[in-house]
Amino acid sequence: MFIKDSAFSVTKGVLSLINDKLVDHGVRTAYILKSMMALQGELERETMKNILFLGIFHDVGANKTEEIANLLKFETTETIPHSVYGYLFLKYLSRLGDRAETILYHHLAYAERGGCRSAYRELALKLHLADRVDICAMGESSDRLVIETVERYGGEQFDPADVELFKAADKRFGVMRTLRGCGCEEDIRECYRALAFSEDELMDLVQTLVFAIDFRSEQTVLHTILTANYAEMLGEHAGLEKDDCRKLYYAGLLHDIGKIKVPVAILEKPGALTRGEMLEMQRHATYTRRIIEGHVDGEIVEIAARHHEKLNGFGYP
Ligand SMILES: [Fe+2]
Ligand SMILES: [Fe+2]
Ligand SMILES: [Fe+2]
């Protein structure tokens, strides 16, 4: 139902709709974390998949708060809300539920690790270092300064062993050079290609991405989950083939994705919409088509993009 080899493009495309800066930061963080982990031995397929996912999605909870600008500073405070939202997102709306604690603790300082009993504490500390390296690299002028900063915070913010691991990864893979040269995206795209996602894995990914968009409001995420399930149930009730029912489910999942392009002021306006606002709101069906066309099965595109059309030909678009 999904176009093969599109896992990374779809991920990047959808997350960019939410926030451009955060998705680039996520991709770079995933690259740093992956490079550190690769130094400890060849990564198994599942481990690689999880690391890429955790890196790319680690700040997904920030989309529910106003703190994105704050997170992109090195000495950041107020890290708890987005860590908790990100944890909840992963735990309940993705297939990585058991690893969600990595996100909950991704700003944990090494000096305070005693208070954390999570089995994912060590991984969370590595993610913390990878995250801060990227933030530091965005602000500092030279690679040497970035490495000196990371060293200075060793023992306080970062596990000294992780600092050494990062330095060794930099020597071996040229991590800083890749960060500067914008090669991270190509590297991560290549990792995704090598993972060769199965149809089921792609479906899981698309579902997670849609939930990531809708996660900003409780109402929208519930609406999407319910619509997808109702559509599939109606299909089953009407005696459709299993494959067609799954198409209904995915069309339900994707149907309102175009709302990401409708201004929030219109989406959340409490009173009646003006004629101009109504026309803008109605464009979401066309936006849905533009976003998903070429990435998923043509029938899913038609079902999703026409969800406001009526049998008598009225409705929109
Ligand atoms: Fe964060
Ligand atoms: Fe981050
Ligand atoms: Fe709609």
Side-chain angles (χ1 to χ4, degrees), residues 265-310:
I266 297 180
L267 282 180
E268 295 185 349
K269 186 173 173 181
L273 297 179
T274 64
R275 171 135 182 83
E277 288 168 341
M278 182 59 88
L279 284 174
E280 182 56 34
M281 176 66 122
Q282 291 181 348
R283 281 192 197 112
H284 81 271
T286 306
Y287 295 146
T288 289
R289 177 183 292 281
R290 278 190 212 151
I291 293 169
I292 65 175
E293 200 148 55
H295 293 301
V296 298
D297 179 279
E299 262 189 311
I300 297 180
V301 175
E302 292 309 317
I303 301 168
R306 295 175 168 209
H307 72 275
H308 284 291
E309 281 185 24
K310 298 181 183 169

Side-chain angles (χ1 to χ4, degrees), residues 173-212:
F173 305 116
V175 173
M176 289 309 300
R177 203 179 341 112
T178 311
L179 274 180
R180 302 285 185 205
C182 310
C184 297
E185 190 172 319
E186 207 27 66
D187 187 285
I188 296 295
R189 188 184 294 278
E190 199 39 61
C191 292
Y192 265 82
R193 223 174 268 143
L195 285 171
F197 277 51
S198 69
E199 185 80 0
D200 280 352
E201 286 175 322
L202 266 176
M203 287 182 181
D204 279 352
L205 179 67
V206 168
Q207 178 161 297
T208 304
L209 288 167
V210 172
F211 289 156

